[in-house]
Amino acid sequence: MYNINTVTLNSTPVTTTVKGNGLSDRYSLIPTSVICNTLQEAGWEFASGTARRTRSEARSLTAAHVLRFRNQSLPKVGDNIIEAVILNSHDGTTAFEMGFGVYRLACANGLIIRTASLSGFRLTHSSLNLDNVFYAARMMSHRAPQVAEIISRWQEIKLDEEQQLSLVNKSLTARWDNIVSADMDAVLRPQRSEDTGTDLWTSFNRIQERVIRGGMDVTLRRYHHNEVGELPDIFESTRKATAIRGAIKQVRLNQELFQIAESFAA
């Protein structure tokens, strides 16, 4: 993933044994590093990670973090590597979640998959234990061929220009509900030769990369609130889109973008 707050298995939010203030005794804190050992036993090796950005050193100990794992027993699908992605925190902001991701070698792009049949596993910390984690990890290995099927099926679906623009508009609105316009050419323009296809999988990768990483001009509608009871002034501002940096926001937006693209495959 492309967050500047990268983490390793030795990072404090991964190894911490401290939970956030105000959490009850029912909250089961299992260090994520211990969970990683269980994932390794189930065949998944750590690949990369990011953590939520915080201004407080104390909060960074328990902040949400996203770790990605790979299983050497799973074959690549072209230049796509199937991954297991876990989201966890120790401050009460999120449950433990494990789902599928895809890492595309051509652009170092980390997608996160969320469909009705591949929604992954969600465990509250009050019921979190290593047996449940091991079971979820093994089930991920068994269900991985469904991810390969999605990639292959999307590669066979061709999008015309109107459909590509519709996919772009819906994807941009998922990130900015107040968007007025964007540099559509910059969003759709291939960054590399591997991105030149018009199939759904290639188009989605190209658009997802831009929406998450930014770099293009976007015009947003802004509101300036006046005196109480008066209607706000409405104006527009254009700026260069920045990259999504929050761990939780990255996961949620990635999931929503995948679901938008899935509607084009129906």
Side-chain angles (χ1 to χ4, degrees):
M1 299 173 73
Y2 19 84
N3 191 305
I4 59 172
N5 257 20
T6 56
V7 298
T8 67
L9 293 183
N10 295 320
S11 300
T12 50
V14 178
T15 61
T16 186
T17 57
V18 177
K19 63 184 179 182
N21 295 329
L23 295 175
S24 71
D25 293 338
R26 295 181 64 247
Y27 186 98
S28 173
L29 192 157
I30 302 176
T32 306
S33 55
V34 175
I35 291 175
C36 291
N37 292 336
T38 299
L39 291 176
Q40 185 175 23
E41 292 173 8
W44 294 92
E45 299 286 345
F46 174 76
S48 63
T50 60
R52 183 178 184 180
R53 302 175 70 194
T54 65
R55 294 188 176 91
S56 165
E57 183 176 348
R59 290 184 62 190
S60 68
L61 290 173
T62 60
H65 42 283
V66 179
L67 305 182
R68 304 179 75 102
F69 298 80
R70 296 177 185 173
N71 191 325
Q72 296 300 319
S73 67
L74 301 178
K76 288 194 299 183
V77 186
D79 69 343
N80 302 287
I81 300 175
I82 298 173
E83 296 184 322
V85 182
I86 70 168
L87 169 64
N88 197 22
S89 74
H90 303 297
D91 57 6
T93 57
T94 177
F96 172 85
E97 297 182 20
M98 181 187 298
F100 281 110
V102 175
Y103 184 86
R104 186 167 177 245
L105 293 172
C107 57
N109 209 12
L111 308 174
I112 296 178
I113 292 176
R114 188 177 184 85
T115 71
S117 60
L118 286 175
S119 56
F121 297 87
R122 185 180 187 276
L123 303 171
T124 62
H125 285 87
S126 60
S127 62
L128 183 62
N129 62 65
L130 295 179
D131 287 339
N132 289 340
V133 172
F134 184 82
Y135 171 79
R138 291 299 297 269
M139 287 300 296
M140 294 282 290
S141 299
H142 293 312
R143 295 166 64 185
Q146 296 180 50
V147 178
E149 291 173 6
I150 289 174
I151 295 173
S152 297
R153 180 162 54 89
W154 286 22
Q155 287 175 332
E156 298 298 319
I157 299 173
K158 304 300 181 183
L159 300 182
D160 58 30
E161 184 177 357
E162 183 179 350
Q163 289 172 316
Q164 290 195 55
L165 289 174
S166 178
L167 179 55
V168 171
N169 283 320
K170 291 181 179 181
S171 300
L172 291 171
T173 303
R175 177 171 176 182
W176 298 282
D177 58 5
N178 61 334
I179 193 165
V180 176
S181 63
D183 185 346
M184 303 295 276
D185 182 63
V187 179
L188 283 169
R189 185 189 311 123
Q191 302 297 304
R192 53 195 73 83
S193 59
E194 294 87 351
D195 292 336
T196 55
T198 61
D199 61 275
L200 177 57
W201 181 252
T202 305
S203 300
F204 167 63
N205 273 266
R206 194 165 61 235
I207 294 167
Q208 185 266 3
E209 180 180 0
R210 274 303 191 196
V211 173
I212 297 291
R213 295 188 183 183
M216 68 289 189
D217 289 335
V218 294
T219 300
L220 306 177
R221 182 177 294 106
R222 304 288 190 181
Y223 299 90
H224 176 72
H225 293 277
N226 303 307
E227 298 294 331
V228 176
E230 292 186 10
L231 294 175
D233 293 330
I234 302 175
F235 65 98
E236 297 177 359
S237 65
T238 300
R239 62 179 176 84
K240 189 76 71 176
T242 57
I244 295 289
R245 303 203 182 279
I248 297 178
K249 192 172 183 180
Q250 267 195 6
V251 169
R252 297 295 181 243
L253 182 55
N254 261 297
Q255 290 173 335
E256 186 173 356
L257 292 176
F258 195 90
Q259 290 176 313
I260 289 171
E262 186 185 24
S263 68
F264 285 77

